[in-house]
Amino acid sequence: MTELTNLEFDAAHIWHPYTSVAHPPLLHEVVSAKGVRLTLADGREVVDGMSSWWSTIHGYNHPKLNEAAHQQIDTMSHVMFGGLTHEPAVNLARKLVEITDESLQYVFLADSGSVSVEVAIKMAIQYWFAQGKAEKHRLLTFRNGYHGDTFGAMSVCDPVNGMHKMFEKVLPQHLFAAAPECRDDADWQDSYIEDFKGLVQEHHQELAAVIVEPLVQGAGGMRVYCAEYLRQIRALCDEFNILLIFDEIATGFGRTGSLFAYEQAGIVPDIICMGKALTGGYMTLAAVMCNQKVADGIAADGSGVLMHGPTFMANPLACRVAAASIDLLLESDWKTKVLAIEEILNTELTKYRAHDLVKDVRVKGAIGVVELNKPLDDAMDWLPGFIIDQGVWIRPFRTMIYIMPPYIIDESDLRLLCDAIGNILNELNSTER
């Protein structure tokens, strides 16, 4: 029997994200990666515009992160965190406490972004349970939001436009306000917050927390909105005694132009989730941080035991690399790099606004989005191959063609990515005629 090639075996046996095994997607095998480039099995190199789902902010195969991983794996790759601790976890927690607002003093190290959202939701619900207010168990969020694919996280993703509608009968029923519309504080009108405010006023007695992605909604629509929403929401949460959770899994560690997106609003959440770029894209790790109010509140029933404990919680290998990644970020001129990326994205992508297929163009920090006026579903049989032929790796979804490149990308490679988006638009146009 002839042995199947890697791609043949993959097509026959392996599930990929958001795909059907009955109709396997077109795949490209990556054999190595360095800097901003992926090397494919056929020898071609492509510039990665996705940062491996927004995580590899320093690029691939970075010598400092490699060194951290090698040193840690030679010492201890993993040990349970129940009843034990270790220096990589303590060192990482120190750094997280140092780089976030002084009110965020407690750190829970989880497995992934979705798990961090689960933990944050548990924190909020358990907080109110410990106060003797078990009726406060629902959450409020925006439409067009995305917070992950596990069940608690799915329950606060958009129930209509999201990816999880088939599960609506088994998910907790939370509350969804109209998606944010205002992009600039200068254009703010109080009417923008009225729907959100009305839901808070009507349901505050049963609301445990508000959870939102600050400034940029990710996989739910790649929508950008202004900081005034966050200030208004913080004020409402304070007025009506509701906890505030920020999901900074995608926005954290510089992606929007500040180290964390909440800084641009001048307010702080009670609980914050972070992941993706936490380890520089080397391996899975997430963190949840909370303030003294939440920590003391959970302890108010006399036990204070947060009921969550992943097997690989605070994995030493991941913690060591995450600490090195934070050091690498802070030692670099990351803000200048992100602002330079933003400037080029604004220049290069804005010119596509006039294209027949384009509905909108949005840029925030190192995020560039071209939204089409119709879904890309019919093009997905040929589009991935066409993109690779442009010398880049971009992964469109629904109506979105977007890029979130590593911060180390140079101007020529960034312009190559932007030009590739133009080529995609032109090819889509020609196939429709």
Side-chain angles (χ1 to χ4, degrees):
M1 179 183 294
T2 304
E3 184 175 354
L4 297 177
T5 67
N6 287 347
L7 288 176
E8 289 169 341
F9 185 92
D10 191 301
H13 297 284
I14 301 178
W15 236 311
H16 283 260
Y18 314 115
T19 62
S20 165
V21 291
H23 305 286
L26 174 65
L27 298 174
H28 302 278
E29 183 180 354
V30 178
V31 295
S32 66
K34 188 172 180 62
V36 300
R37 283 175 164 72
L38 308 176
T39 300
L40 307 182
D42 62 10
R44 288 185 291 177
E45 285 188 346
V46 293
V47 174
D48 178 22
M50 311 306 297
S51 297
S52 277
W53 268 334
W54 326 339
S55 63
T56 56
I57 56 175
H58 309 296
Y60 297 92
N61 211 4
H62 196 286
K64 288 191 177 180
L65 301 187
N66 288 355
E67 181 183 9
H70 282 299
Q71 289 179 349
Q72 185 58 45
I73 205 167
D74 287 340
T75 303
M76 173 178 60
S77 62
H78 183 62
V79 65
M80 66 185 290
F81 210 52
L84 302 171
T85 193
H86 48 79
E87 184 176 10
V90 174
N91 190 30
L92 173 59
R94 284 185 197 274
K95 293 181 187 299
L96 292 175
V97 169
E98 287 171 2
I99 67 174
T100 54
D101 186 83
E102 62 181 3
S103 66
L104 299 169
Q105 288 290 311
Y106 296 90
V107 183
F108 189 102
L109 295 167
D111 296 44
S112 68
S114 293
V115 174
S116 76
V117 171
E118 301 284 341
V119 172
I121 292 172
K122 275 189 174 181
M123 281 182 174
I125 292 174
Q126 194 171 338
Y127 172 92
W128 291 112
F129 186 85
Q131 315 304 307
K133 296 184 177 181
E135 70 276 7
K136 288 176 74 70
H137 64 276
R138 299 184 76 186
L139 293 110
L140 169 62
T141 186
F142 285 130
R143 292 198 176 274
N144 287 105
Y146 173 83
H147 299 279
D149 292 339
T150 51
F151 270 73
M154 284 195 296
S155 71
V156 286
C157 295
D158 190 302
V160 177
N161 299 313
M163 299 179 283
H164 308 122
K165 187 171 177 59
M166 71 182 76
F167 300 104
E168 63 180 344
K169 300 294 185 183
V170 296
L171 292 174
Q173 298 301 298
H174 296 304
L175 299 166
F176 294 85
E181 296 291 342
C182 182
R183 294 194 201 171
D184 193 313
D185 283 351
D187 299 324
W188 178 262
Q189 299 177 31
D190 288 342
S191 59
Y192 285 122
I193 200 68
E194 282 305 308
D195 186 51
F196 202 103
K197 183 177 182 179
L199 289 170
V200 169
Q201 291 172 331
E202 182 179 355
H203 296 279
H204 65 93
Q205 292 183 337
E206 59 178 336
L207 282 176
V210 165
I211 180 169
V212 297
E213 303 156 277
L215 300 187
V216 181
Q217 294 182 290
M222 305 302 297
R223 296 165 57 90
V224 177
Y225 64 95
C226 71
E228 183 61 23
Y229 278 103
L230 303 180
R231 291 188 281 269
Q232 295 280 335
I233 290 170
R234 176 74 272 182
L236 286 168
C237 287
D238 291 342
E239 179 182 355
F240 290 94
N241 201 16
I242 300 166
L243 296 178
L244 178 57
I245 304 169
F246 279 177
D247 175 351
E248 292 237 25
I249 294 164
T251 56
F253 302 101
R255 182 58 70 174
T256 66
S258 54
L259 198 56
F260 294 96
Y262 72 77
E263 297 171 19
Q264 296 182 45
I267 53 93
V268 186
D270 300 296
I271 303 171
I272 185 172
C273 302
M274 56 188 75
K276 289 191 181 296
L278 177 59
T279 66
Y282 266 56
M283 61 199 77
T284 183
L285 183 71
V288 187
M289 299 183 69
C290 73
N291 58 22
Q292 192 76 49
K293 173 184 175 179
V294 173
D296 288 347
I298 290 172
D301 63 357
S303 69
V305 177
L306 180 61
M307 298 305 296
H308 205 86
T311 300
F312 291 96
M313 179 179 179
N315 170 258
L317 185 56
C319 288
R320 180 71 174 268
V321 175
S325 178
I326 291 172
D327 286 343
L328 190 59
L329 180 65
L330 298 181
E331 291 165 4
S332 71
D333 193 8
W334 65 269
K335 182 170 286 191
T336 299
K337 292 178 181 178
V338 170
L339 292 177
I341 291 171
E342 182 179 57
E343 184 177 351
I344 292 171
L345 290 177
N346 268 316
T347 300
E348 294 299 314
L349 298 185
T350 300
K351 62 189 180 186
Y352 300 136
R353 285 186 188 276
H355 199 284
D356 293 344
L357 299 180
V358 173
K359 178 181 179 181
D360 192 19
V361 173
R362 301 185 282 275
V363 173
K364 179 66 175 177
I367 305 168
V369 184
V370 175
E371 182 180 2
L372 308 186
N373 52 35
K374 60 182 293 186
L376 285 158
D377 298 352
D378 293 340
M380 293 313 292
D381 56 340
W382 60 265
L383 188 52
F386 179 83
I387 290 170
I388 289 290
D389 288 342
Q390 307 309 301
V392 302
W393 175 238
I394 299 172
R395 192 173 190 268
F397 76 103
R398 296 183 179 171
T399 60
M400 309 293 166
I401 307 173
Y402 76 97
I403 51 177
M404 280 186 168
Y407 303 163
I408 65 165
I409 194 166
D410 64 26
E411 182 176 342
S412 61
D413 283 338
L414 184 55
R415 291 187 187 279
L416 179 66
L417 287 167
C418 294
D419 289 345
I421 292 177
N423 293 339
I424 293 168
L425 293 173
N426 292 335
E427 188 68 14
L428 286 167
N429 223 9
S430 66
T431 58
E432 286 194 348
R433 291 175 182 154

